[in-house]
Amino acid sequence: MRAVGQNDKRWPFGGVRIGLAVLALASIASGCGQGGDGARAEPAGGQQPLQAPPARALDAYATRLRAAHTARVAAAKHWGLKKVPLTAPPPPAKKPRITTRDGFEVDGHRRLELPPVFTTVPTDEKILFLTIDDGAEKDPAFLRMMSELKIPYSAFLSDYLVKEDYGYFKEMQGRGVALHNHTLRHPYLPALSYARQKREICGMQEVIEERYGERPVLFRPPYGNYDKATLRAAKACGITHVPLWNEEVFVDHWEYREWDRDLHPGDIVLTHFRGREDWKGTMPDMIRRFMDKVTAEGYAVARLEDYL
């Protein structure tokens, strides 16, 4: 269920956030300037008095907010979205406790302190998390679209596809996207021994660290299939979380894990780096379908890593 008063937090085009920010700064200015223009309010205890920020600073801040909003409106129109995407709330100061979803445990999951396997992040906010797997399609238009619309997402990469163009994902990382582990060759892991699973997972850890300078802590098993050996190997390779998904979006349809075939606060959404060779459209076409639905239902897209 959505939080009470959720609709009060977001007006069309995110205008409430701009307005509230400006009002907040204006109230600071008026509250600190008691006693007339340029006057100081003398605090008790001999502390240094607070001073209002210069009016020019307020004007500059408001101008930047308006410019950012105007750019997002223009981007939504340029990329053919029906509405401007909603802005996600700030990430929580205290991260939610992530546990393994019921029925997704393996034998000894808690005793062995294996990484949690989950499909939803606990939150009352109407937010979703977009995750994209594999790395087959390397569409420059997709990178531009996501940057211009400021839509966060997380990438789970397999080396056998990524190695065709490591630079594409380096550019993606430079745009603020976190790159995570999806194995070297995308095998069905439960069919492999523990040692071979570990090579697939740790091997991809090393590739990402060497190519992109960071060792991932998130891992998604290919096809969402895993066993106890998978999670043991993942933990040994430095993995702390195993996010799966609750919905999957394609160019022409959605698929759902839950019986109600609906979105829920905190759901993780899966899609893939795919293009016309596999789909009846492009990655921007898929993002358009994704954003039109989530925005129409009052959801914003948040950054998964901010909640883990």
Side-chain angles (χ1 to χ4, degrees):
M1 295 178 62
R2 67 177 177 82
V4 176
Q6 184 70 40
N7 291 336
D8 297 335
K9 296 180 181 179
R10 302 186 179 93
W11 292 351
F13 307 137
V16 66
R17 296 191 178 279
I18 297 174
L20 289 178
V22 175
L23 288 174
L25 286 174
S27 66
I28 292 172
S30 62
C32 295
Q34 301 288 335
D37 185 28
R40 297 185 178 187
E42 295 295 339
Q47 297 177 356
Q48 290 296 318
L50 297 174
Q51 288 183 283
R56 287 192 300 274
L58 287 173
D59 290 343
Y61 182 63
T63 298
R64 288 197 299 271
L65 287 176
R66 286 194 296 268
H69 173 64
T70 299
R72 209 171 192 210
V73 171
K77 182 177 180 180
H78 171 76
W79 292 104
L81 272 59
K82 294 178 181 178
K83 294 182 178 180
V84 177
L86 298 172
T87 301
K94 182 179 180 181
K95 308 302 181 189
R97 180 171 176 264
I98 306 296
T99 59
T100 295
R101 176 172 170 162
D102 289 345
F104 286 58
E105 308 93 341
V106 298
D107 183 47
H109 207 129
R110 290 188 180 183
R111 176 175 53 82
L112 297 173
E113 297 182 338
L114 298 177
V117 181
F118 56 103
T119 62
T120 300
V121 173
T123 180
D124 290 328
E125 298 281 0
K126 290 193 73 172
I127 56 173
L128 301 170
F129 304 99
L130 178 62
T131 62
I132 310 181
D133 280 8
D134 299 346
E137 182 72 4
K138 303 164 185 68
D139 185 351
F142 166 77
L143 294 183
R144 294 195 304 271
M145 181 182 194
M146 301 302 273
S147 294
E148 292 175 13
L149 291 171
K150 301 189 183 306
I151 301 171
Y153 61 101
S154 305
F156 290 81
L157 305 178
S158 291
D159 189 52
Y160 83 106
L161 295 169
V162 175
K163 67 182 180 182
E164 298 170 355
D165 187 355
Y166 286 120
Y168 178 83
F169 298 96
K170 185 67 175 179
E171 181 178 353
M172 182 181 294
Q173 182 188 42
R175 294 172 184 245
V177 178
L179 308 180
H180 301 297
N181 192 323
H182 198 46
T183 71
L184 289 170
R185 292 172 286 272
H186 204 276
Y188 176 73
L189 289 173
L192 305 182
S193 67
Y194 170 81
R196 292 179 64 189
Q197 292 196 49
K198 189 176 179 183
R199 282 198 295 272
E200 282 286 338
I201 300 170
C202 286
M204 193 61 197
Q205 292 286 84
E206 293 164 6
V207 168
I208 295 177
E209 185 174 28
E210 177 183 353
R211 292 287 178 174
Y212 305 110
E214 296 183 7
R215 196 170 181 87
V217 294
L218 305 189
F219 163 68
R220 174 173 287 158
Y223 317 107
N225 295 125
Y226 60 93
D227 59 11
K228 183 177 179 179
T230 309
L231 300 184
R232 286 178 54 230
K235 180 181 178 180
C237 297
I239 297 299
T240 62
H241 293 79
V242 180
L244 297 185
W245 63 91
N246 237 14
E247 295 88 24
E248 183 172 1
V249 61
F250 299 82
V251 164
D252 54 354
H253 71 284
W254 284 70
E255 293 183 0
Y256 302 86
R257 187 184 297 273
E258 307 295 347
W259 65 270
D260 59 1
R261 298 180 58 80
D262 202 359
L263 305 175
H264 315 90
D267 274 358
I268 299 170
V269 180
L270 165 68
T271 191
H272 290 81
F273 290 99
R274 295 285 188 271
R276 291 191 181 279
E277 290 185 2
D278 303 287
W279 284 346
K280 297 178 181 179
T282 64
M283 290 197 71
D285 293 333
M286 178 274 297
I287 293 298
R288 194 173 300 113
R289 171 176 285 273
F290 170 74
M291 290 308 306
D292 283 347
K293 177 177 178 62
V294 303
T295 304
E297 296 194 20
Y299 283 88
V301 182
R303 186 173 182 269
L304 178 61
E305 295 77 14
D306 290 341
Y307 287 74
L308 303 182

